[in-house]
Amino acid sequence: MTTAHYPSPLQFAYWVPNVSGGLVVSKIPQRTQWDALYNRRLAQIAEHAGFDYALTQIRFTAGYGAENQHESVTFSQDLLAATEKLKVIAALLPGPWNPALAAKQIATISHLSDARIAVNIVSGWFRGEFKAIGEPWLDHEERYLRSEEFIRCLRGIWQKEQFTFAGDFYRFRNYSLKPKPLHPQPEIFQGGSSRAARDMAARVSDWYFTNGNSVEGVSQQIEDIQVKSRQNDRSVKIGMNAFVIARDSEQQAQQVLQEIIDHADVEAVKGFQHETQNAGLASPEKEGNWAKSSFDDLVQYNDGFKPKLIGTPQQIAERIIDYKRVGVDLLLLGFLHCQEEVEFFGREIIPRVRVLEQQLISELRA
Ligand SMILES: Cc1cc2nc3c(=O)[nH]c(=O)nc-3n(C[C@H](O)[C@H](O)[C@H](O)COP(=O)(O)O)c2cc1C
């Protein structure tokens, strides 16, 4: 990465628990809840704690510890109405959503929220879910071709007075959306880790969201995206998932991790493992999300234990800076007891990260 990226402070997002069961596939007692009241309060805590974004999830069916799932766009609007500065990222799944409906919904929410809405385009990993709702299941490369057209259509509809498009999946003729979203336009994130995901990010997305990974692992992905996006005369920002366990001592934090894994919902994790191995190996290069995830890794939905943000506040802040050094712009965080731990993260960890960021900048200037 270039040193030009360093001065921007790292940004923080949290996973909205809009599906039941929290963010781990474990029967460990959790105080996290999935209802609207809990989530409104969590969003308010997060914006006071210094979080920039909240990410809602989209799932259409139960599976693997998430028996109930609130819809992402509606839920995002509710959180925006309950907050003042937090940006909320709504997940959209091409297939159930088409770009005409999505562009219209998000433009209206942009007006309702003073431009605080963003979107995360997800491409589908759960074949059973598509089957259950009668959506055709495309192969991996086709899913990404469709997502790319979806993103091109969103941008075209939001930016052009009259939008015309003739693609393999979507067609528009002189379509004029009014009102357009407010400025700045909704940011476009995308989730996924395969080569197709990286290529799509380099061509059309503002942000690349990926599963938790080692510093070396994510650094390789970032280099690949940077080379490809420069070839397209673009730049793409990087967000990575991580699960945080901050306690007074490293030993206490490790013990909590062990308890989460010891209480794993074995049947649900095995089901998830079966499905995600199919998904992880679905791309031609066999390197999508979860391609190399062990049973323990999958106790957190998006490989959140891999970055090892587990220890004391100072250890976690230092580890976060290791990710900033290789070009991560945003950390998407999950917690066991969301309200309490988001508040703690803002009070004890973000200030330490800011001090270390200043040291990093001074180091580079020296
Ligand atoms: C941060 C992040 C968030 C995601 N959120 C969702 C989601 O809400 N709903 C969903 O169906 N898939 C979600 N996904 C899955 C991806 O969109 C994608 O379908 C999956 O990673 C397989 O693609 P890949 O082979 O490129 O990794 C998410 C992935 C990531 C990394």
Side-chain angles (χ1 to χ4, degrees), residues 303-320:
D303 285 344
F305 302 143
K306 282 188 181 168
K308 300 194 169 74
L309 299 192
I310 296 165
T312 64
Q314 186 62 25
Q315 285 174 319
I316 292 173
E318 286 168 12
R319 183 90 182 134
I320 286 175

Side-chain angles (χ1 to χ4, degrees), residues 15 55-59 91 93 120-126 129-130 140 143-144 190-198 209-211 239-241 279-280 282-283 287-290 302 332:
W15 283 94
L55 171 71
T56 56
Q57 313 167 48
I58 182 62
R59 293 199 191 195
L93 182 60
N120 182 29
I121 309 306
V122 301
S123 292
W125 59 274
F126 187 7
E129 176 181 67
F130 275 62
H140 187 269
R143 292 202 294 278
Y144 272 99
Q190 61 154 90
S193 303
S194 58
R195 195 257 319 134
R198 296 194 298 273
F209 252 159
T210 188
N211 266 14
M240 188 192 72
N241 174 57
S283 59
E287 55 183 28
N289 268 355
W290 311 291
N302 288 84
L332 167 63

Side-chain angles (χ1 to χ4, degrees), residues 127-147:
R127 182 202 289 259
E129 176 181 67
F130 275 62
K131 206 171 153 195
I133 62 171
E135 276 290 330
W137 180 246
L138 306 180
D139 79 21
H140 187 269
E141 302 300 276
E142 284 180 318
R143 292 202 294 278
Y144 272 99
L145 286 175
R146 176 167 64 182
S147 294

Side-chain angles (χ1 to χ4, degrees), residues 39-289:
N39 268 293
R40 283 180 205 136
R41 182 74 197 116
L42 173 59
Q44 289 160 353
I45 292 171
E47 72 177 0
H48 286 116
F51 278 72
D52 304 280
Y53 296 92
L55 171 71
T56 56
Q57 313 167 48
I58 182 62
R59 293 199 191 195
F60 280 87
T61 63
Y64 321 124
E67 279 307 300
N68 298 282
Q69 324 89 36
H70 279 308
E71 188 277 315
S72 58
V73 175
T74 326
F75 214 80
S76 298
Q77 167 53 22
D78 190 62
L79 300 184
L80 287 163
T83 50
E84 287 170 1
K85 52 185 182 175
L86 188 71
K87 289 177 263 186
V88 182
I89 313 164
L92 299 174
L93 182 60
W97 266 278
N98 65 52
L101 172 63
K104 190 88 187 146
Q105 279 181 307
I106 301 299
T108 292
I109 298 179
S110 164
H111 285 256
L112 299 178
S113 66
D114 203 14
R116 289 187 288 127
I117 184 77
V119 293
N120 182 29
I121 309 306
V122 301
S123 292
W125 59 274
F126 187 7
R127 182 202 289 259
E129 176 181 67
F130 275 62
K131 206 171 153 195
I133 62 171
E135 276 290 330
W137 180 246
L138 306 180
D139 79 21
H140 187 269
E141 302 300 276
E142 284 180 318
R143 292 202 294 278
Y144 272 99
L145 286 175
R146 176 167 64 182
S147 294
E148 182 163 339
E149 282 194 8
F150 191 97
I151 293 173
R152 289 186 189 280
C153 290
L154 282 186
R155 284 199 199 284
I157 295 168
W158 285 337
Q159 288 170 1
K160 295 211 159 91
E161 268 317 304
Q162 302 255 310
F163 178 62
T164 296
F165 186 85
D168 291 330
F169 298 92
Y170 305 115
R171 274 158 291 283
F172 288 86
R173 188 165 302 130
N174 298 328
Y175 177 49
S176 180
L177 173 84
K178 289 193 178 140
K180 303 284 189 215
L182 296 179
H183 287 283
Q185 291 238 325
E187 293 176 284
I188 300 183
F189 292 70
Q190 61 154 90
S193 303
S194 58
R195 195 257 319 134
R198 296 194 298 273
D199 290 357
M200 181 173 89
R203 285 195 290 264
V204 292
S205 306
D206 297 317
W207 285 90
Y208 172 78
F209 252 159
T210 188
N211 266 14
N213 209 324
S214 62
V215 173
E216 300 69 36
V218 79
S219 160
Q220 282 169 12
Q221 293 188 30
I222 295 172
E223 273 171 36
D224 182 45
I225 291 175
Q226 283 178 343
V227 169
K228 287 172 175 162
S229 56
R230 269 198 297 272
Q231 285 164 358
N232 297 328
D233 237 355
R234 309 186 64 249
S235 71
V236 179
K237 288 189 267 187
I238 309 292
M240 188 192 72
N241 174 57
F243 193 82
V244 176
I245 307 176
R247 296 295 183 271
D248 291 340
S249 73
E250 186 181 354
Q251 198 195 1
Q252 282 172 342
Q254 289 296 344
Q255 201 175 323
V256 174
L257 171 64
Q258 200 51 53
E259 281 169 27
I260 295 172
I261 292 171
D262 289 346
H263 286 81
D265 180 341
V266 176
E267 204 185 318
V269 177
K270 284 201 170 145
F272 186 49
Q273 188 167 35
H274 176 72
E275 195 63 46
T276 53
Q277 270 172 359
N278 285 341
L281 301 176
S283 59
E285 301 76 16
K286 308 203 183 312
E287 55 183 28
N289 268 355

